[in-house]
Amino acid sequence: MAAGREREFLWPAAVIFAFNLALVGHLVTADRLIYRGSIEGAFIGLARFLSHHPNPFGWYPYWYGGTPIQFTYTPGLHYLNALVMRLLPFLSAGQAYHAVSAVMYSLGSVTAAYLAYFFTRERWWALGAGMLYSLWTPALWLIRAVRLDSGDFHAPWRLQVLAKYGEGPHIASLALLPLAVCALWRVAERRGFRPMFVAAALMAALVLCNWVGAFALGATFLCFLLTIAWRNPGFGPPLSVRRALAAAGLAYLLAAFWITPSFVRTVAFNAQTVSGHYEYHFRMLILLAGALAGLGAIRMFFFAFPEHLYLCFLSLATFFFGYLTLCSYWFRLYMIPQPHRYLPEFELFLVLLVCEKFRLAYQYTGGWARRGVVAAMAVLAALAVHQARDYLPGSYLMLRPAWTADWAEYKLDAWLAAHAKPEDRVFIVGSEGISLNGWFDVAQVKGWFDPGVRERVILDLCSQISSGENAPPGRAGAIAVDLLHTIGARYVVVHTTRSKVAYHDFPRPEKFEGLLPQRFRLPTGEAIYEVPGARLAVLARPEEIPAKRPVNGLDIGPLERYIAAVGDSSRPPLTTRWLGPNRLEVRGDFPAGRVVSLRVSYAEGWR
């Protein structure tokens, strides 16, 4: 493509980017937003850690009793945030995260418009597509749950996803998706290594940003292959499926240092139990068959219109993501884990599909028919502006900085940071746990990417400690205390139903009364208890080490001898000290016949 043709898109890109950045640019001033239930604290914490310890094969000691950094999350956005933190040290960690998020959000509308320009070569239509994508939220018309979630603030759903739920990595991957499609098209129509490498690098970057985005790329790639396969050679140059597949293979090689087969396997098999309503069963096969049948029918329809490959691709992608998300929202049918999270992809392709149909209708009609098309476009534009009337002048209400010093989450986390030693571990769940490592370097028993957990026993024990589910009457507290000793938790944070925290994951917080000393309490019902004697390393006899794992958090039979051993105060105490995230020192007397039981998650890289 001529460089001049690409430069023609610069001014529409600048207009779209400036409009979106003006809408969300004040994110940069926010360390945290007002939404306590957001997951952004966990992402900020990962970026904080990587800004000081960038080793991609290191150890992350703050989640799940310690875990390889490769299993904490896909790293792309976190490394970018870490780089911004190093280059702009006057920004707080939260401000750096929000600055990058604001730029990626604004680029998302630009890349959507560029996808339209890439295939149509019409600047004004591309500008219209980008602005419509910036204003219009079709999900509000289609999904009642989205309308209820949005309330009176009808911002684009991807902005709701970014601000309310903290999905910065997802928004980053969404911004890269249209570029990946354009690069794949160039690979399919051109020979040479350069276009293949560009496409592979874009796809690898997308996958490394977000695991939801990785699946979205896979689904989009399938739609792309269906579009270019069996193309009539009389309509343009031939398109190579093999070169597109080769680019995809090269993309995985570029990302494989982090997205290893073990990571993919772990996330895939964990997702069915830790990511919501989903199990592998026959209904999933029926839903999958329906999706494939719909894709096949659409592709067969477009055999009669071989000149409209772009429209074919948009129709395939819109159908797939619409089928995926609307089955979830309308009928509670789940083809994959968390299908509702792919609503931003559905909106992206739906908006582009609507714009392309308007463009073709305008191009191939005249007279009164063309006037009708213009009237329909004017109605849609008016509806989009009407929908945006609340958030355009008042986006600062949604994106305003929070005064976190008044948050119960911050007060609890600050107390832990002041009193917990580097070798201590705390049991904390809910929004106060999500926020913890975004502010402070305190190790917690749990973490915030359950699909990456390789040893499920930690999740079972955490569930039993917090919920006390199915425990015998009067035994929930005692069992929880035993399990806290087992996993080496020095402090445990609880909250009542009247607490101001976002999530209430302790249905019976009173179970620790009289069993553990209370060290801190807030007027709103949150409290911190100490677990006396809890430590990371203890001496044990070989026969006291559990011979098998407990089946669930309530089945503590295999742990009984071990629990007694870790609670035996007559044994010589061992002290632990972290010398860095990858080195732990254990000191003390080591009598013959005893072993050191170290409550740090097992990994093959430890020596």
Side-chain angles (χ1 to χ4, degrees):
M1 298 179 187
R5 297 292 299 274
E6 297 299 315
R7 284 196 293 269
E8 289 179 352
F9 181 71
L10 290 179
W11 73 261
V15 170
I16 297 168
F17 182 80
F19 174 80
N20 282 272
L21 193 60
L23 180 66
V24 301
H26 43 280
L27 271 176
V28 180
T29 64
D31 183 77
R32 296 294 174 88
L33 300 182
I34 59 175
Y35 304 100
R36 298 188 181 190
S38 168
I39 193 68
E40 67 179 19
F43 298 141
I44 294 170
L46 287 172
R48 283 184 64 244
F49 179 83
L50 291 173
S51 68
H52 299 291
H53 309 286
N55 180 8
F57 307 106
W59 186 254
Y60 189 63
Y62 301 135
W63 285 2
Y64 303 112
T67 185
I69 191 69
Q70 299 100 310
F71 285 84
T72 54
Y73 205 81
T74 48
L77 189 68
H78 308 317
Y79 271 108
L80 179 58
N81 289 330
L83 178 62
V84 172
M85 291 176 195
R86 297 298 295 269
L87 295 177
L88 304 176
F90 54 87
L91 294 179
S92 70
Q95 288 172 329
Y97 169 84
H98 288 127
V100 173
S101 296
V103 170
M104 296 307 295
Y105 177 87
S106 303
L107 283 175
S109 293
V110 175
T111 58
Y114 179 72
L115 181 61
Y117 177 75
F118 181 87
F119 284 99
T120 66
R121 289 299 163 189
E122 298 191 28
R123 291 175 294 173
W124 288 102
W125 282 102
L127 176 63
M131 294 303 295
L132 185 64
Y133 183 56
S134 303
L135 294 170
W136 185 40
T137 305
L140 287 174
W141 297 5
L142 298 172
I143 303 170
R144 181 174 180 269
V146 171
R147 290 196 297 274
L148 294 176
D149 197 355
S150 298
D152 296 328
F153 202 78
H154 296 164
W157 184 245
R158 62 196 178 98
L159 183 56
Q160 303 266 10
V161 167
L162 174 62
K164 282 180 136 180
Y165 303 110
E167 290 283 357
H170 190 180
I171 297 305
S173 70
L174 187 67
L176 294 175
L177 186 58
L179 297 180
V181 173
C182 297
L184 279 170
W185 187 271
R186 285 176 172 165
V187 167
E189 69 179 357
R190 291 183 179 181
R191 296 181 180 273
F193 181 73
R194 182 178 177 181
M196 183 174 293
F197 180 80
V198 171
L202 281 170
M203 288 190 287
L206 191 157
V207 169
L208 288 171
C209 277
N210 181 243
W211 67 275
V212 174
F215 177 84
L217 174 63
T220 304
F221 186 73
L222 173 63
C223 296
F224 176 82
L225 292 182
L226 288 174
T227 301
I228 67 173
W230 311 293
R231 185 190 182 193
N232 189 326
F235 294 88
L239 300 173
S240 172
V241 171
R242 285 186 296 179
R243 286 200 294 270
L245 290 172
L250 179 58
Y252 180 73
L253 292 178
L254 293 175
F257 76 95
W258 195 286
I259 312 299
T260 60
S262 61
F263 178 85
V264 175
R265 182 176 64 252
T266 300
V267 171
F269 285 96
N270 276 348
Q272 61 176 319
T273 54
V274 302
S275 297
H277 306 81
Y278 182 75
E279 293 178 1
Y280 296 122
H281 47 51
F282 184 67
R283 183 184 298 175
M284 179 268 288
L285 296 178
I286 296 176
L287 290 171
L288 179 60
L292 295 177
L295 292 173
I298 292 171
R299 187 64 188 93
M300 290 180 66
F301 171 80
F302 275 96
F303 283 157
F305 306 97
E307 69 276 18
H308 294 305
L309 289 187
Y310 176 51
L311 183 63
C312 175
F313 167 73
L314 292 178
S315 300
L316 291 169
T318 302
F319 166 78
F320 180 84
F321 288 109
Y323 180 91
L324 188 67
T325 56
L326 296 180
C327 280
S328 168
Y329 277 109
W330 289 352
F331 309 113
R332 297 294 185 268
L333 298 175
Y334 304 89
M335 189 172 74
I336 61 170
Q338 298 183 317
H340 60 281
R341 296 183 67 180
Y342 297 90
L343 185 56
E345 282 78 8
F346 172 51
E347 287 198 321
L348 167 66
F349 291 114
L350 178 60
V351 169
L352 292 175
L353 176 63
V354 169
C355 290
E356 178 63 5
K357 286 195 172 185
F358 273 136
R359 188 186 73 86
L360 293 175
Y362 182 85
Q363 179 179 335
Y364 289 107
T365 58
W368 285 104
R370 176 172 286 187
R371 294 188 184 96
V373 173
V374 173
M377 289 190 294
V379 169
L380 179 58
L383 289 173
V385 173
H386 177 74
Q387 188 183 79
R389 73 189 189 283
D390 293 324
Y391 75 87
L392 282 178
S395 60
Y396 66 91
L397 293 174
M398 183 179 190
L399 305 176
R400 64 186 184 273
W403 181 251
T404 55
D406 291 336
W407 283 13
E409 288 90 344
Y410 184 82
K411 293 176 181 178
L412 293 166
D413 294 348
W415 189 94
L416 290 171
H419 293 82
K421 299 176 182 177
E423 62 270 18
D424 287 338
R425 184 179 294 158
V426 303
F427 185 89
I428 184 170
V429 293
S431 55
E432 59 269 45
I434 296 172
S435 298
L436 176 59
N437 297 125
W439 286 316
F440 306 110
D441 295 331
V442 178
Q444 49 184 307
V445 173
K446 200 177 177 298
W448 304 102
F449 185 55
D450 288 357
V453 176
R454 295 190 297 171
E455 181 48 76
R456 290 296 310 279
V457 68
I458 191 71
L459 299 181
D460 293 336
L461 297 180
C462 288
S463 176
Q464 181 59 36
I465 292 170
S466 59
S467 70
E469 186 178 10
N470 299 322
R475 287 279 298 154
I479 291 175
V481 171
D482 285 342
L483 295 180
L484 288 168
H485 273 289
T486 301
I487 56 182
R490 175 74 181 278
Y491 296 102
V492 55
V493 183
V494 304
H495 43 252
T496 65
T497 54
R498 63 188 178 91
S499 171
K500 298 298 184 180
V501 299
Y503 305 115
H504 298 101
D505 297 328
F506 260 94
R508 296 165 61 186
E510 71 283 354
K511 65 188 176 185
F512 295 118
E513 290 292 337
L515 295 176
L516 296 175
Q518 186 181 119
R519 300 305 186 197
F520 182 71
R521 176 172 286 276
L522 293 172
T524 48
E526 303 84 4
I528 298 176
Y529 293 89
E530 183 177 5
V531 184
R535 50 193 184 274
L536 289 189
V538 296
L539 289 172
R541 296 183 178 89
E543 62 270 17
E544 293 170 336
I545 302 298
K548 64 176 183 178
R549 299 169 182 153
V551 177
N552 55 55
L554 189 61
D555 175 28
I556 63 173
L559 300 175
E560 287 181 348
R561 298 185 67 183
Y562 183 72
I563 291 171
V566 299
D568 185 358
S569 59
S570 65
R571 303 188 183 196
L574 301 179
T575 61
T576 56
R577 184 166 66 102
W578 285 99
L579 305 178
N582 303 321
R583 298 183 64 199
L584 178 65
E585 178 185 81
V586 181
R587 287 182 176 270
D589 295 326
F590 304 101
R594 303 289 181 92
V595 296
V596 176
S597 175
L598 184 63
R599 264 73 67 83
V600 174
S601 299
Y602 170 77
E604 297 83 354
W606 274 108
R607 296 197 309 272

